[in-house]
Structure formats: C-alpha cells, structure tokens
Amino acid sequence: PFKMSLSRFAPQFGGTRQHDAQELLGYLLDGIHEDLNRVKQRPYIEDKDCDGTNDEADAVDAWKNYLCRNKSLIVDLFQGQFRNTCQCD
C-alpha cells in the first residue's frame, strides 16, 4: 500500500527496481517541508558570488537568504550547511 501510494506521486519509486534509501528520505522530507513551509510569498534573492576570502560571513549570508524562502519544522530539524575542502598533495 505505501509503495503503491508513493509511486502515484513519484513514479521514479515505482516498479521493482532497488532505490537508494537516502533518495527516498530526501524526497519525503522535501514534500513535508513544502507542505509545512511557513513562507508563503518567497522573495527572489540573487546568489552572491563568493571569492573565498570570508567563508564564515558568506555562509551566514547564504543561510539568511535560504531562511527568507524556507521556514518549516523540516528545516529546523534536518537542514543545515556543509563545508568541504579538497586538498591535493
């Protein structure tokens, strides 16, 4: 029943193929977030180019911009920011 209901809204999860659990969880959480999002009028916010000189300030600005368009229990509990670094030797 759950898989059949899910595949009506998300055909990519239909059939007998194996799917990634992270994909499914992301899809479900995104759907719940969209339904619970408290921002009804989402402002247009242009992405700022970051030059890498002040990563912390850029991250704070990016998160503030994200929250202008996305406020839900899902954001509060499950979303955040990652920082990664690639070092070649």
Side-chain angles (χ1 to χ4, degrees), residues 22-80:
Q22 184 178 2
E23 250 182 87
L24 174 62
L25 183 60
Y27 178 82
L28 294 174
L29 289 175
D30 188 53
I32 295 168
H33 161 69
E34 289 299 323
D35 287 346
L36 298 179
N37 195 354
R38 296 183 296 268
V39 178
K40 301 303 177 197
Q41 296 293 323
R42 297 179 185 167
Y44 172 77
I45 300 172
E46 192 165 331
D47 284 337
K48 184 179 103 175
D49 287 334
C50 302
D51 61 6
T53 57
N54 194 345
D55 288 341
E56 189 171 335
D58 291 340
V60 168
D61 288 343
W63 189 245
K64 283 181 186 175
N65 289 342
Y66 183 79
L67 293 177
C68 286
R69 297 177 51 87
N70 299 283
K71 290 182 186 171
S72 73
L73 183 64
I74 301 303
V75 172
D76 295 343
L77 295 176
F78 298 107
Q79 293 184 353

Side-chain angles (χ1 to χ4, degrees), residues 1-9 13:
F2 174 73
K3 185 168 173 36
M4 196 179 335
S5 297
L6 176 65
S7 65
R8 273 190 260 140
F9 294 100
F13 295 111

